[in-house]
């Protein structure tokens, strides 16, 4: 007799309010539950809530940035406020993953050494450069977007979290332990739900949904190929890097569209 599938794969549910506790507990510091509720499998099943977590951790900083502009502060200050509030509400989770990813994938000579580097809490040259340049790219795009079309940033917040769910479903865990392994692997239906939620947000807060989806797909494809070649799969750090890189590229796409429209 074959072993029964885990609950989140055997009986996919389109809505379970307990998923909010797992999703918010995993990706934010907001007091809405914890990742352990419902067991490790709950974290994978809850990936459909990740775009909503993206909204929750982005909206306060975005509102503060818009208010700062209304009070006469420069756009650069407003953009910095958005990034600071985001980092505070996530605990810098995705930024840490970005830095660890570049340190490990670009600094190690073997798969085992790359994974070892990624687990090291210290930051190296590759990680520091990646963190600096990606944050600068996000800040630069926000400087353009905040005065002209600030709410389209919410679409990017949702899509970049759905990107994590898609990548987690597409690649196997690279480690035999760790957060990503312990969370289980979302099924195709789980990732599809996450993508549909993000798409709905992108329609409600439109910038250029088609361009954003294409940009997200391009980032995911490039990162997935690189992670499979260098690590053999994904880790929690890879998922964080996916969020940061997708956000940076998508914000740049929106900013470029606004700049082109002004010409």
């Amino acid at each position: 007799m074959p072993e029964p599938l885990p609950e989140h794969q055997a009986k996919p549910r389109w809505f379970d309010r307990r998923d909010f506790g797992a999703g918010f507990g995993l990706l934010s510091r907001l007091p809405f539950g914890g990742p352990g509720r419902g067991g490790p499998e709950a974290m994978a099943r809850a990936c459909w809530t990740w775009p909503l977590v993206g909204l929750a951790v982005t909206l306060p900083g975005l509102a503060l940035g818009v208010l700062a502009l209304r009070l006469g502060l420069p756009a650069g200050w407003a953009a910095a406020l958005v990034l600071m509030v985001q980092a505070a509400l996530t605990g810098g989770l995705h930024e840490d993953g970005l830095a660890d990813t570049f340190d490990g994938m670009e600094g190690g000579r073997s798969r085992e050494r790359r994974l070892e580097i990624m687990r090291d809490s210290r930051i190296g040259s590759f990680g520091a450069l990646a963190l600096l340049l990606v944050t600068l790219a996000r800040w630069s795009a926000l400087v353009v977007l905040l005065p002209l079309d600030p709410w389209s940033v919410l679409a990017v917040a949702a899509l970049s979290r759905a990107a994590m769910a898609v990548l987690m479903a597409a690649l196997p865990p690279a480690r035999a332990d760790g957060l990503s392994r312990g969370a289980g692997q979302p099924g195709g239906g789980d990732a599809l739900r996450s993508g549909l939620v993000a798409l709905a947000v992108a329609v409600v807060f439109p910038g250029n949904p088609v361009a954003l989806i294409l940009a997200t797909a391009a980032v995911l494809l490039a990162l997935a190929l690189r992670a499979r070649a260098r690590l053999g799969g994904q880790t929690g750090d890879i998922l964080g890097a996916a969020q940061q890189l997708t956000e940076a590229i998508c914000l740049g796409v929106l900013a470029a569209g606004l700049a082109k429209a002004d010409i």
Side-chain angles (χ1 to χ4, degrees), residues 95-160:
E95 288 85 351
D96 180 70
L98 174 72
D100 286 344
T101 292
F102 275 82
D103 271 340
M105 288 211 301
E106 306 307 325
R109 293 183 177 272
S110 67
R111 174 182 177 274
E112 291 72 21
R113 178 55 181 157
R114 291 171 196 132
L115 289 171
E116 182 183 347
I117 292 172
M118 291 171 71
R119 181 161 277 172
D120 193 331
S121 61
R122 294 170 294 182
I123 188 170
S125 299
F126 286 113
L129 282 171
L131 187 58
L132 173 64
L133 294 175
V134 172
T135 301
L136 180 60
R138 294 163 63 211
W139 177 85
S140 300
L142 287 171
V143 168
V144 175
L145 291 169
L146 286 178
L148 300 175
D149 188 16
W151 307 115
S152 64
V153 174
L154 295 175
V156 175
L159 284 169
S160 63

Side-chain angles (χ1 to χ4, degrees), residues 28-223:
S28 81
R29 289 186 169 179
L30 295 171
F32 300 140
R37 296 184 63 182
E41 295 84 2
M43 287 190 279
R45 186 183 63 236
C47 70
W48 73 270
T49 67
W50 293 356
L52 302 179
V53 178
L55 287 182
V57 300
T58 301
L59 184 57
L62 192 60
L64 188 60
V66 171
L67 177 61
L69 287 178
R70 296 285 178 87
L71 294 176
L73 287 173
W77 276 78
L81 285 173
V82 175
L83 296 178
M84 284 190 290
V85 174
Q86 276 186 322
L89 294 181
T90 63
L93 178 68
H94 307 310
E95 288 85 351
D96 180 70
L98 174 72
D100 286 344
T101 292
F102 275 82
D103 271 340
M105 288 211 301
E106 306 307 325
R109 293 183 177 272
S110 67
R111 174 182 177 274
E112 291 72 21
R113 178 55 181 157
R114 291 171 196 132
L115 289 171
E116 182 183 347
I117 292 172
M118 291 171 71
R119 181 161 277 172
D120 193 331
S121 61
R122 294 170 294 182
I123 188 170
S125 299
F126 286 113
L129 282 171
L131 187 58
L132 173 64
L133 294 175
V134 172
T135 301
L136 180 60
R138 294 163 63 211
W139 177 85
S140 300
L142 287 171
V143 168
V144 175
L145 291 169
L146 286 178
L148 300 175
D149 188 16
W151 307 115
S152 64
V153 174
L154 295 175
V156 175
L159 284 169
S160 63
R161 270 71 182 187
M164 297 168 59
V166 172
L167 190 60
M168 193 177 185
L171 292 180
R175 288 194 179 100
D177 58 358
L179 178 60
S180 179
R181 181 77 177 194
Q185 189 170 15
D190 298 318
L192 176 61
R193 285 189 294 164
S194 187
L196 290 175
V197 171
L199 182 60
V201 174
V203 171
V204 173
F205 300 102
N208 188 336
V210 174
L212 292 181
I213 292 171
L214 291 175
T216 299
V219 172
L220 280 178
L221 179 60
L223 186 57

